[in-house]
Amino acid sequence: MDPETRELRALEAEVAALQRECSMLSKPWEKTSGARKSFQKFPQSDSEGWKSWRDLKSQLAHLKSEVSFLSKLTGINIRNYSKTEDITNNEVTEKDTKKILQRHRLSGNCSMVTFQLEFQVLEIETKEKSSSVITDLSIIMEPTEYSELSEFASRAEEKRDLLMFFRSLHFFVEWYEYRKNTFKHFKEKYPDSVHLSEGTCSHCMEIHSARQPGFELVIVWRIQIDEEGKVFPKLDLLTKVPERALELDKNRVIETAPLSFRRLLGVLGIEAALDSLIKLLCVEND
Amino acid sequence: MESANTLRQGGECKGGVLAYLERLEAQMNRSSRKSEELTVHTKESSQRTKIHELRRQRDKLRAEVKRRQARIKASLDNEDPNRTVELSEQEDLARQWGNVKDILQAYRFTGLSGKLTSRGVCVCISTAFEGNLLDSYFVDLVMEKPLRIHHHSIPVFIPLERIATEYLQTDIQRFLFSLCEYLNAYSGRKYQTDQLETDFSAFLTGPLQRNALCNLLSFTYKVDQGHQTFSFSATLLYEDLTAALPTGVTVMCPGAETSSARWEEHRASHEMLFRTKPLHQVFASFSKQVEILDLSLVS
């Protein structure tokens, strides 16, 4: 993240925190008995300041442990959340229909991806039923280099499907970490033959052979998210081969390599397929 | 698939596969560099104005907070000087308490939230379909070895047993997310079916047949196109229980007029629509078509 963006994020967080503080400081302190009033919304409120302070501390510790547990359980770490209710829309319009519009701001991270969301929820209550609809969703995610993620974010915004966003984000990050670990594993196992141009976070793995310079295999591993939010890996094989070799390749092995690779993936799975490919190019005797 | 094809074509091109790839690469690098520069530039200038704005807002808020704190302190000083020290600490804790409580509430928007219980944890799974927040379900887990489900509100036709056997002991996260997928898909299918029954019942010419899992639907409907009324019968099968769109769609023309080309055209397009769009949206598009036609008749 560049310094400007960092400052922007920090300022946004600070402004949100200050707004909350401002509203907290204005609400309970209307009358002189304000001190007692401020604890009205907390459980076990006591007019004895000392007792409720201790309770508050232990309650706070318990709540914090709940948050950290949820964060580990979901893989999603929510750092900030605020909600405002639009009082002007809180009208009882025709035939006992109550409409409440809430504005929410949520930010946090899921492993290496940080997100900032703003959305509106419209709650409609009639005599028969009540419904909640997300009427507006805006998603800011970082890092922005993953085109698949930003495409997915705009699709989620269009569909206003907040839950699908989080679900798919979780699976995307899972696949991302798996790819990173797999590439790292192969780099460590075959340090001379495997080359990762952008480090373990890249989506390409190049396989060179010292004995056969000019021959190169490139594994391109993309993580795709489809229309319904399903996350799946897409691996392709690219070959770089000297022209002479192409001429000699009577059986068109090189041309059909990408297709054969797909079949290999289906049979052996990702790790075994990559392993056998590397062994093929590098460990084989001439 | 694409890379295999391009490589095959490249073999026939001048210069061979390698040259073709190199040309593609160079093209890609040039265009990505250009767009990178452009986005960086526009991002920077809009960021700078935003930063200025936020700085202004922040300073204003800081001043306001100080003012309010001073006012409170002044009013309390008049009451009891000893209490003010304690109260500012309490205020800080109260603020933190409110913040953490809010965050706990916010987790329901991720789909998974919960509370710690004396036995373990009670996880609440929320479901939604395209912005419509739907039912929630809970699973009460007991943290023992082996992990077990104390009780739950998952409907019987969701394969909870199977998912639990596969993942519960080894990977709770995977267990919960998998359950999340099934429940959200079920909620989505149910929502689409309910919408069809309530909002678009005018199109149905018979009862809508559905099963509890909402993954097998059968109905007959009619669509008016100008002077003609086309009637069809449709069967939708959702074999993938983690999807809210059908895997198999059959639309048929009941009756004798099956040979007409127009019928076939409509039938095929409807089949395509049911396969790619949510059920109630397909019918919404039918009503829009009818509206358009009505307007054209009037004008």
Side-chain angles (χ1 to χ4, degrees):
Chain A
M1 216 191 284
D2 60 282
E4 268 198 3
T5 319
R6 220 176 299 141
E7 191 182 358
L8 189 68
R9 294 276 171 269
L11 278 170
E12 280 175 341
E14 203 181 347
V15 165
L18 282 168
Q19 277 173 336
R20 265 205 308 275
E21 205 175 339
C22 234
S23 65
M24 266 217 76
L25 290 173
S26 64
K27 273 192 292 211
W29 305 94
E30 305 294 277
K31 306 189 176 122
T32 48
S33 57
R36 278 186 219 132
K37 246 198 169 183
S38 74
F39 289 104
Q40 255 169 36
K41 50 178 198 159
F42 310 138
Q44 294 157 331
S45 62
D46 229 292
S47 49
E48 268 218 64
W50 177 250
K51 218 174 172 203
S52 53
W53 180 50
R54 223 197 260 136
D55 288 332
L56 194 61
K57 257 191 149 180
S58 70
Q59 281 250 329
L60 185 61
H62 178 79
L63 288 176
K64 277 188 174 168
S65 67
E66 266 192 2
V67 170
S68 111
F69 178 80
L70 276 179
S71 164
K72 269 193 223 101
L73 194 69
T74 60
I76 295 164
N77 189 16
I78 299 182
R79 287 191 215 282
N80 269 304
Y81 170 68
S82 60
K83 169 174 97 166
T84 52
E85 248 175 44
D86 217 345
I87 313 166
T88 53
N89 280 20
N90 213 353
E91 356 156 332
V92 182
T93 48
E94 2 97 352
K95 293 188 219 172
D96 307 313
T97 319
K98 202 164 125 184
K99 288 189 186 176
I100 304 174
L101 185 67
Q102 299 171 329
R103 268 181 250 275
H104 305 256
R105 287 190 71 159
L106 203 154
S107 67
N109 71 297
C110 180
S111 185
M112 77 288 170
V113 176
T114 54
F115 51 80
Q116 224 177 323
L117 307 168
E118 270 185 43
F119 54 99
Q120 295 185 352
V121 178
L122 179 62
E123 278 185 20
I124 304 175
E125 222 176 278
T126 59
K127 254 197 229 153
E128 290 104 39
K129 58 175 184 171
S130 63
S131 65
S132 299
V133 186
I134 299 175
T135 53
D136 190 47
L137 175 61
S138 122
I139 301 173
I140 303 174
M141 266 202 293
E142 271 194 36
T144 45
E145 297 96 66
Y146 308 118
S147 56
E148 298 126 339
L149 264 188
S150 32
E151 257 175 57
F152 160 65
S154 18
R155 246 182 285 139
E157 277 178 345
E158 250 180 64
K159 290 198 175 158
R160 292 163 284 122
D161 207 332
L162 184 57
L163 268 62
M164 178 192 81
F165 166 75
F166 277 117
R167 217 164 44 243
S168 305
L169 180 62
H170 163 86
F171 285 120
F172 180 89
V173 167
E174 233 186 40
W175 273 110
Y176 178 86
E177 304 269 298
Y178 176 63
R179 179 178 69 188
K180 194 167 90 162
N181 292 333
T182 310
F183 280 174
K184 184 160 170 250
H185 162 80
F186 283 120
K187 178 74 188 167
E188 282 166 11
K189 193 172 176 193
Y190 306 101
D192 302 317
S193 317
V194 169
H195 182 57
L196 301 167
S197 51
E198 292 155 37
T200 49
C201 298
S202 68
H203 59 270
C204 288
M205 180 172 88
E206 294 156 28
I207 309 169
H208 307 264
S209 162
R211 258 176 286 124
Q212 282 134 332
F215 277 85
E216 199 179 295
L217 295 178
V218 180
I219 313 277
V220 180
W221 183 345
R222 297 212 175 275
I223 303 168
Q224 299 200 318
I225 311 179
D226 73 6
E227 282 285 323
E228 283 203 75
K230 289 238 168 106
V231 184
F232 53 94
K234 189 159 178 283
L235 284 94
D236 284 308
L237 175 69
L238 297 179
T239 56
K240 274 185 174 185
V241 151
E243 274 199 57
R244 263 284 288 168
L246 268 180
E247 287 167 23
L248 293 171
D249 183 15
K250 293 279 171 6
N251 293 329
R252 291 163 68 231
V253 170
I254 304 213
E255 264 187 63
T256 57
L259 207 56
S260 319
F261 176 62
R262 285 279 177 81
R263 268 185 240 129
L264 194 68
L265 275 177
V267 172
L268 294 177
I270 297 177
E271 275 179 54
L274 292 183
D275 200 46
S276 58
L277 210 60
I278 300 173
K279 284 210 184 90
L280 193 74
L281 193 63
C282 307
V283 185
E284 207 182 38
N285 293 326
D286 292 23
Chain B
M1 211 41 86
E2 312 90 47
S3 50
N5 287 332
T6 48
L7 277 173
R8 275 220 194 85
Q9 285 171 15
E12 268 95 66
C13 274
K14 216 192 216 181
V17 174
L18 185 57
Y20 185 78
L21 280 174
E22 283 179 341
R23 257 182 278 138
L24 273 182
E25 217 176 55
Q27 231 176 30
M28 248 176 58
N29 287 339
R30 253 180 280 135
S31 61
S32 74
R33 226 180 300 135
K34 265 201 213 134
S35 64
E36 249 173 49
E37 287 170 9
L38 193 65
T39 50
V40 167
H41 182 76
T42 47
K43 191 181 172 203
E44 274 175 9
S45 50
S46 72
Q47 265 193 339
R48 259 179 253 129
T49 39
K50 225 187 165 192
I51 289 178
H52 284 301
E53 225 179 81
L54 282 172
R55 277 200 200 127
R56 222 176 23 95
Q57 219 185 344
R58 177 201 58 188
D59 295 337
K60 234 176 81 176
L61 283 168
R62 274 188 186 160
E64 179 62 27
V65 165
K66 280 214 181 76
R67 198 175 62 82
R68 292 189 187 185
Q69 281 177 333
R71 190 182 66 191
I72 292 164
K73 193 166 184 295
S75 73
L76 286 176
D77 277 346
N78 294 335
E79 282 190 0
D80 183 354
N82 290 330
R83 289 191 70 131
T84 49
V85 175
E86 242 173 61
L87 280 166
S88 70
E89 274 185 72
Q90 280 172 333
E91 204 178 276
D92 184 56
L93 278 183
R95 204 178 315 129
Q96 275 188 54
W97 188 93
N99 197 22
V100 176
K101 204 117 200 345
D102 284 344
I103 291 180
L104 272 176
Q105 269 218 343
Y107 266 95
R108 71 189 158 104
F109 290 116
T110 65
L112 283 177
S113 62
K115 292 175 100 84
L116 294 174
T117 62
S118 52
R119 290 178 293 258
V121 63
C122 183
V123 180
C124 174
I125 301 176
S126 343
T127 61
F129 183 70
E130 294 195 342
N132 296 282
L133 300 172
L134 305 167
D135 299 321
S136 315
Y137 304 88
F138 74 86
V139 180
D140 202 332
L141 296 170
V142 181
M143 296 302 202
E144 293 177 345
K145 278 213 155 51
L147 209 61
R148 65 185 170 83
I149 301 173
H150 182 75
H151 63 287
H152 63 85
S153 67
I154 315 278
V156 305
F157 38 79
I158 302 282
L160 175 61
E161 292 275 320
R162 177 159 58 82
I163 304 172
T165 319
E166 236 187 297
Y167 301 124
L168 183 58
Q169 304 307 328
T170 49
D171 192 344
I172 300 185
Q173 217 184 59
R174 171 144 268 149
F175 165 73
L176 289 172
F177 272 97
S178 177
L179 205 51
C180 220
E181 273 190 310
Y182 278 87
L183 286 169
N184 268 280
Y186 161 66
S187 253
R189 294 193 301 268
K190 181 163 171 288
Y191 177 77
Q192 292 173 59
T193 318
D194 290 340
Q195 289 292 102
L196 174 56
E197 274 190 327
T198 51
D199 290 359
F200 300 102
S201 52
F203 287 94
L204 295 175
T205 53
L208 172 65
Q209 294 175 343
R210 55 195 278 183
N211 62 344
L213 191 47
C214 285
N215 75 325
L216 182 56
L217 304 173
S218 191
F219 52 89
T220 52
Y221 64 100
K222 61 171 166 57
V223 180
D224 293 317
Q225 288 267 337
H227 303 286
Q228 261 193 300
T229 301
F230 294 88
S231 326
F232 298 100
S233 74
T235 307
L236 272 61
L237 173 65
Y238 303 73
E239 258 189 276
D240 181 0
L241 294 182
T242 61
L245 282 180
T247 50
V249 173
T250 332
V251 176
M252 292 196 293
C253 318
E257 286 118 282
T258 47
S259 49
S260 137
R262 284 207 77 201
W263 276 85
E264 180 51 36
E265 206 186 292
H266 283 290
R267 189 203 69 80
S269 88
H270 287 193
E271 232 179 50
M272 181 59 149
L273 281 173
F274 285 125
R275 198 172 289 133
T276 52
K277 288 176 83 157
L279 189 55
H280 60 301
Q281 284 176 18
V282 177
F283 279 91
S285 68
F286 288 164
S287 30
K288 276 212 200 91
Q289 284 177 11
V290 174
E291 274 172 30
I292 293 171
L293 277 171
D294 280 344
L295 287 174
S296 71
L297 286 173
V298 169
S299 63

